């Protein structure tokens, strides 16, 4: 996989943050820029850490099991198709949220968003490790993509409401499903 494909996967998994932050932005009375920057930085660092570290840990383990490689490629296909299907279900299942004004976002709320969005990052990092793709040099770009996604999601929600979360999930699903098809064509067939 080339760098562009890795960046596209980083964008796909960061769109989960976009969708959640659009919901948060929709209920804000006013956006505090410094608070949003701190929250974006925290989420960006967390997201990037779990993405890269899961890749490095599984990549180390994967290197010791040489006969595991054909099965690992099939697992990668399953992971990308599964993540894509999950995002597609999120896009289609456009539940109404109960909007109520929030003046502040608690640390507990930020940590909950970090944990919820980290599942996609961990599984994508593991999938790329199964293909023997080292993500150790992608920490900063992944962090910046997630920070931008957090910013854009918050402002999109603030100005337009939470309805654009479905579009974010749909774009994420498309990228992940295409990545799964790419794995099938490049590595399995």
């Amino acid at each position: 996989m080339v760098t562009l494909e890795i960046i596209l996967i980083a964008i796909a998994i960061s769109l989960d943050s976009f969708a959640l932050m659009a919901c948060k932005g929709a209920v804000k009375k006013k956006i505090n820029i410094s608070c949003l920057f701190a929250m974006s930085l925290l989420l960006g660092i967390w997201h990037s850490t779990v993405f890269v570290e899961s890749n490095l840990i599984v990549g180390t383990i994967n290197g010791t099991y040489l006969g595991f490689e054909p099965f690992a490629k099939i697992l990668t296909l399953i992971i990308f198709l599964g993540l894509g299907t999950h995002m597609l279900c999120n896009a289609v299942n456009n539940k109404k949220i109960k909007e109520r004004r929030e003046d502040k976002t608690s640390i507990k709320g930020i940590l909950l968003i970090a944990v919820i969005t980290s599942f996609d990052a961990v599984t994508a990092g593991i999938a790329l490790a199964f293909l023997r793709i080292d993500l150790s040099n992608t920490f900063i770009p992944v962090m910046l993509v997630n920070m931008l996604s957090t910013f854009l999601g918050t402002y999109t929600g603030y100005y337009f409401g939470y309805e654009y979360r479905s579009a974010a999930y749909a774009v994420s699903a498309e990228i992940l499903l295409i990545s799964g098809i790419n794995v099938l064509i490049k590595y399995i067939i």
Side-chain angles (χ1 to χ4, degrees), residues 18 55 75 84 88 110 145 163 179 188:
F18 178 97
N55 176 268
L75 265 175
L88 190 59
I110 295 169
V145 164
E163 289 82 14
S179 296
I188 296 175

Side-chain angles (χ1 to χ4, degrees), residues 9-69:
I9 290 170
I11 290 169
I13 60 175
S14 75
L15 286 173
D16 197 14
S17 296
F18 178 97
L20 289 172
M21 293 310 294
C23 294
K24 285 287 187 191
V27 298
K28 290 288 183 195
K29 184 176 182 179
K30 182 180 177 188
I31 295 178
N32 181 335
I33 298 292
S34 60
C35 181
L36 179 58
F37 179 77
M39 186 170 38
S40 297
L41 184 63
L42 176 73
L43 289 174
I45 290 171
W46 173 257
H47 213 237
S48 191
T49 300
V50 297
F51 184 58
V52 173
E53 289 302 317
S54 64
N55 176 268
L56 293 176
I57 291 168
V58 173
T60 304
I61 294 168
N62 190 25
T64 61
Y65 299 105
L66 298 175
F68 181 68
E69 194 164 333

Side-chain angles (χ1 to χ4, degrees), residues 30-182:
K30 182 180 177 188
I31 295 178
N32 181 335
I33 298 292
S34 60
C35 181
L36 179 58
F37 179 77
M39 186 170 38
S40 297
L41 184 63
L42 176 73
L43 289 174
I45 290 171
W46 173 257
H47 213 237
S48 191
T49 300
V50 297
F51 184 58
V52 173
E53 289 302 317
S54 64
N55 176 268
L56 293 176
I57 291 168
V58 173
T60 304
I61 294 168
N62 190 25
T64 61
Y65 299 105
L66 298 175
F68 181 68
E69 194 164 333
F71 183 65
K73 291 175 182 175
I74 293 170
L75 265 175
T76 300
L77 172 67
I78 292 169
I79 287 171
F80 282 134
L81 293 180
L83 282 174
T85 304
H86 171 69
M87 292 295 183
L88 190 59
C89 289
N90 285 345
V92 172
N93 187 13
N94 193 11
K95 292 182 191 174
K96 296 278 184 192
I97 62 169
K98 190 174 182 180
E99 292 187 42
R100 63 183 190 284
R101 280 283 170 217
E102 279 184 13
D103 290 328
K104 294 183 180 180
T105 302
S106 67
I107 294 293
K108 183 179 174 183
I110 295 169
L111 293 176
L112 182 63
I113 290 171
V115 169
I116 290 170
T117 59
S118 64
F119 170 77
D120 304 332
V122 168
T123 52
I126 290 170
L128 293 174
F130 286 156
L131 295 178
R132 299 191 185 275
I133 295 171
D134 181 18
L135 297 177
S136 58
N137 296 328
T138 63
F139 185 87
I140 299 293
V142 171
M143 181 185 76
L144 293 175
V145 164
N146 199 323
M147 286 178 68
L148 182 63
S149 188
T150 301
F151 260 96
L152 292 176
T154 303
Y155 277 104
T156 299
Y158 184 74
Y159 287 110
F160 303 111
Y162 68 90
E163 289 82 14
Y164 286 96
R165 72 184 173 148
S166 291
Y169 283 133
V171 170
S172 177
E174 290 172 20
I175 293 171
L176 291 167
L177 291 171
I178 290 170
S179 296
I181 293 167
N182 184 35

